[in-house]
Amino acid sequence: MPLSPDETLFWQYGIVHLNATILYTWGLMLMLTLGAWLITRRLSSGLTRSRWQNLLEIIVTTIMKQIEEVGLTHPQTYLGFLGTLFLFIASASLLTIVPGYQPPTGSLSTTVALALCVFVAVPLFGIAEQGWVNYLKSYVQPTFLMLPFNLISELSRTLALAVRLFGNMMSGAMIIAILLSITPFIFPIVMTLLGLLTGMVQAYIFSILAAVYIAAATQVRSRTTSPTAGDAA
Amino acid sequence: MLIDWFTVVAQLINFLILVGLMKRFLYQPILDAIDARERRIATELADAAAKCAEAERARDDFRHRSSALDQQRDTLLKAAEAEAEMRRTQLLTDAQQAADMLSQQHRDALAQEYLQFKTELSRLTRDEVFAISRKVLGDLSDTTLEARMCEVFVQRLQHLDTATRDQLISAFYASPGPVWVRSTFELPPPQRQSIQAAVDVLFATAVSVQFATTPTLINGLELSINGRKLGWNIADYLAAMDTRVSTLLARHSVPEPRP
């Protein structure tokens, strides 16, 4: 039994290959994009609107509210990145109810890619908000001696993001697969439901942690006093 | 190896593409729709507030105008009532005056008719009295009414009371002149002579007596000296009869309704 959907290859030409992770990711991207396009092509700006529009508005405004509660004063700036992180991970977990589907987030390559995105996005947003000098100063706060520890913190939390998500998603899929072979009735359904809950929680945790990292990077002066958000969960 | 770096790169690119697609097809349209709705709601709220303010202004204006109209109506009503009252009073006064005038005219007409009636009655009575007297005297004696009237007049001259005689004598001597004897009929010479003789005896001297015929004089004779008169006619009888007739009419007349 493969541990990761990366191992399921559909096509390969040299180092270029098409595995289940990429294929299911494309499927997810197609589903999200097509669904968003179908719903948003006829949006109503009046008081009466469709249920799907209500659902999307609730999702978008909830994400913005969560971003704002983290401490980011302009949530629209970060909505594209953080909202897509949440929707991608959540929808990847939600589709585990489809038989034969393997979540791309169960691949360490995917979670590493997402963690790398966060790893790059944090300094980008910090520099865009604070400028080069102020952002780089944050690494030597409160003293210059903290520079190596801050760098290690950046790397370790990125690694933690990737491994945490991968571990949760992979373990869930593995448990369901094992249980299917042992007790094929009823119990896997319960575990699937538990996996759905775990997936939603992981999507929330990943997105919130990314928001917290960005918030810490965009608020230099408060970073020294704020607790190190981090590697809970 | 759990990490496939080609897959990592591919997933990184896929994620960035997904971010762009979500921005294009999800976040931006939804945020635009929300912003448009908020603007629309804000506009509608502003419009509603403006309409509310306008309605309040219209209500206040309506109340003000209604109050003004009420006051104007009350003023006009009071003026109309006063005018109607004045008009009513005027009409009543006019009607009263017209009724009074008509009543007065009616009374005047009645009085005039009554006067004419009495005058006619006196004239008829006088004529009848003279006709009857003349006929009775003619039938029962050998004298005429005129002769008998002269005799009565002469007897009256001869039997005047002292005061009347003194007044006539004083008037005669105050301004000596002709003594006028007027009658309603032409006196024959015998009666003229007897009257002349009675006047001469009265004044104890020969007096120039002038005889004249006066149709307006009620049947009788009259002696006139410097404005003082002495006569005999049936006016006194007629006056007495007029009094009795008036009393009789008043007794049988119906009282007029008061206006």
Side-chain angles (χ1 to χ4, degrees):
Chain A
M1 187 174 78
L3 281 177
S4 169
D6 292 356
E7 298 173 13
T8 307
L9 283 177
F10 295 105
W11 176 80
Q12 185 170 15
Y13 182 78
I15 62 168
V16 179
H17 54 268
L18 181 63
N19 55 27
T21 302
I22 298 174
L23 195 65
Y24 285 130
T25 301
W26 286 353
L28 265 176
M29 291 170 62
L30 183 65
M31 185 195 73
L32 288 173
T33 307
L34 196 61
W37 176 73
L38 286 175
I39 296 173
T40 59
R41 64 178 175 168
R42 284 195 298 267
L43 286 179
S44 166
S45 61
L47 296 177
T48 56
R49 48 196 182 273
S50 67
R51 297 176 181 176
W52 290 107
Q53 182 179 347
N54 274 333
L55 176 66
L56 288 190
E57 288 187 3
I58 290 170
I59 291 172
V60 172
T61 52
T62 305
I63 292 172
M64 289 181 66
K65 190 177 178 183
Q66 290 294 320
I67 294 170
E68 198 169 12
E69 286 182 355
V70 166
L72 296 168
T73 52
H74 301 291
Q76 290 189 21
T77 308
Y78 314 101
L79 177 65
F81 180 69
L82 297 173
T84 307
L85 268 180
F86 176 79
L87 289 179
F88 179 71
I89 299 170
S91 56
S93 302
L94 192 64
L95 286 180
T96 53
I97 59 173
V98 178
Y101 168 79
Q102 290 180 309
T105 48
S107 159
L108 187 60
S109 303
T110 303
T111 56
V112 166
L114 296 178
L116 283 176
C117 286
V118 175
F119 180 75
V120 174
V122 168
L124 285 180
F125 282 121
I127 291 167
E129 186 72 21
Q130 303 292 338
W132 282 97
V133 178
N134 287 333
Y135 177 73
L136 292 177
K137 275 183 182 177
S138 65
Y139 284 96
V140 294
Q141 297 289 339
T143 66
F144 185 76
L145 294 175
M146 293 300 292
L147 178 60
F149 299 102
N150 284 332
L151 292 175
I152 291 170
S153 171
E154 292 285 330
L155 293 172
S156 64
R157 74 186 185 188
T158 304
L159 181 63
L161 274 178
V163 174
R164 181 190 303 110
L165 182 58
F166 167 69
N168 278 283
M169 300 308 295
M170 185 270 289
S171 63
M174 288 295 290
I175 288 172
I176 291 170
I178 293 168
L179 285 176
L180 276 174
S181 60
I182 299 173
T183 56
F185 297 107
I186 309 238
F187 199 63
I189 297 175
V190 178
M191 292 307 295
T192 302
L193 291 175
L194 185 62
L196 282 176
L197 177 63
T198 306
M200 289 298 126
V201 171
Q202 287 305 313
Y204 178 75
I205 289 172
F206 198 100
S207 306
I208 284 294
L209 286 177
V212 169
Y213 298 155
I214 293 171
T218 54
Q219 298 172 1
V220 175
R221 285 173 178 79
S222 61
R223 187 183 180 191
T224 55
T225 57
S226 65
T228 304
D231 303 331
Chain B
M1 183 63 179
L2 289 176
I3 298 178
D4 178 11
W5 289 107
F6 174 77
T7 305
V8 169
V9 173
Q11 289 295 78
L12 204 150
I13 295 171
N14 284 336
F15 180 73
L16 294 178
I17 292 172
L18 183 62
V19 169
L21 289 174
M22 287 292 101
K23 277 188 176 179
R24 168 67 180 81
F25 291 108
L26 179 60
Y27 304 128
Q28 201 58 47
I30 291 292
L31 292 177
D32 289 344
I34 292 174
D35 291 342
R37 184 181 304 117
E38 287 179 348
R39 283 196 300 272
R40 181 173 176 177
I41 290 173
T43 305
E44 289 179 353
L45 285 176
D47 290 344
K51 287 180 180 176
C52 187
E54 181 67 25
E56 287 182 356
R57 281 197 297 274
R59 183 195 62 189
D60 294 340
D61 184 54
F62 173 76
R63 285 180 178 172
H64 179 69
R65 289 188 181 182
S66 178
S67 175
L69 284 176
D70 287 343
Q71 290 179 354
Q72 187 178 4
R73 184 195 60 192
D74 293 342
T75 304
L76 290 175
L77 196 59
K78 288 179 181 175
E81 287 177 350
E83 186 177 356
E85 180 63 24
M86 186 178 69
R87 182 69 176 163
R88 188 181 73 88
T89 306
Q90 181 65 36
L91 288 175
L92 284 175
T93 305
D94 292 347
Q96 184 70 39
Q97 289 178 351
D100 291 344
M101 186 177 68
L102 287 175
S103 178
Q104 186 63 38
Q105 287 177 352
H106 180 64
R107 285 196 298 271
D108 293 344
L110 285 177
Q112 183 68 27
E113 187 178 357
Y114 176 67
L115 188 62
Q116 288 177 355
F117 171 74
K118 285 201 302 182
T119 305
E120 185 66 17
L121 182 63
S122 298
R123 187 185 64 78
L124 288 174
T125 303
R126 183 192 62 193
D127 292 345
E128 287 300 320
V129 165
F130 276 102
I132 291 171
S133 301
R134 186 174 289 109
K135 186 173 181 56
V136 169
L137 287 176
D139 291 342
L140 299 181
S141 64
D142 55 353
T143 184
T144 62
L145 176 61
E146 289 75 10
R148 184 59 190 156
M149 287 170 64
C150 285
E151 289 176 3
V152 172
F153 182 68
V154 169
Q155 288 176 1
R156 189 171 183 181
L157 286 177
Q158 291 170 350
H159 297 90
L160 283 176
D161 57 274
T162 309
T164 304
R165 180 182 297 168
D166 292 341
Q167 289 176 354
L168 289 176
I169 293 171
S170 299
F172 175 75
Y173 287 106
S175 175
V179 175
W180 285 92
V181 175
R182 295 184 179 86
S183 61
T184 55
F185 51 88
E186 184 69 24
L187 289 173
Q191 278 76 26
R192 288 189 180 190
Q193 291 173 1
S194 62
I195 289 171
Q196 178 71 54
V199 171
D200 290 342
V201 171
L202 177 64
F203 296 109
T205 184
V207 178
S208 172
V209 178
Q210 301 293 326
F211 291 95
T213 302
T214 307
T216 56
L217 186 66
I218 297 174
N219 284 358
L221 294 168
E222 181 184 83
L223 182 144
S224 175
I225 305 169
N226 291 329
R228 190 167 296 277
K229 295 178 181 177
L230 175 69
W232 177 92
N233 54 41
I234 65 170
D236 294 336
Y237 305 114
L238 291 178
M241 187 197 68
D242 183 58
T243 302
R244 288 194 295 273
V245 169
S246 298
T247 304
L248 187 63
L249 287 177
R251 188 181 304 164
H252 290 86
S253 66
V254 179
E256 293 182 13
R258 295 187 65 82

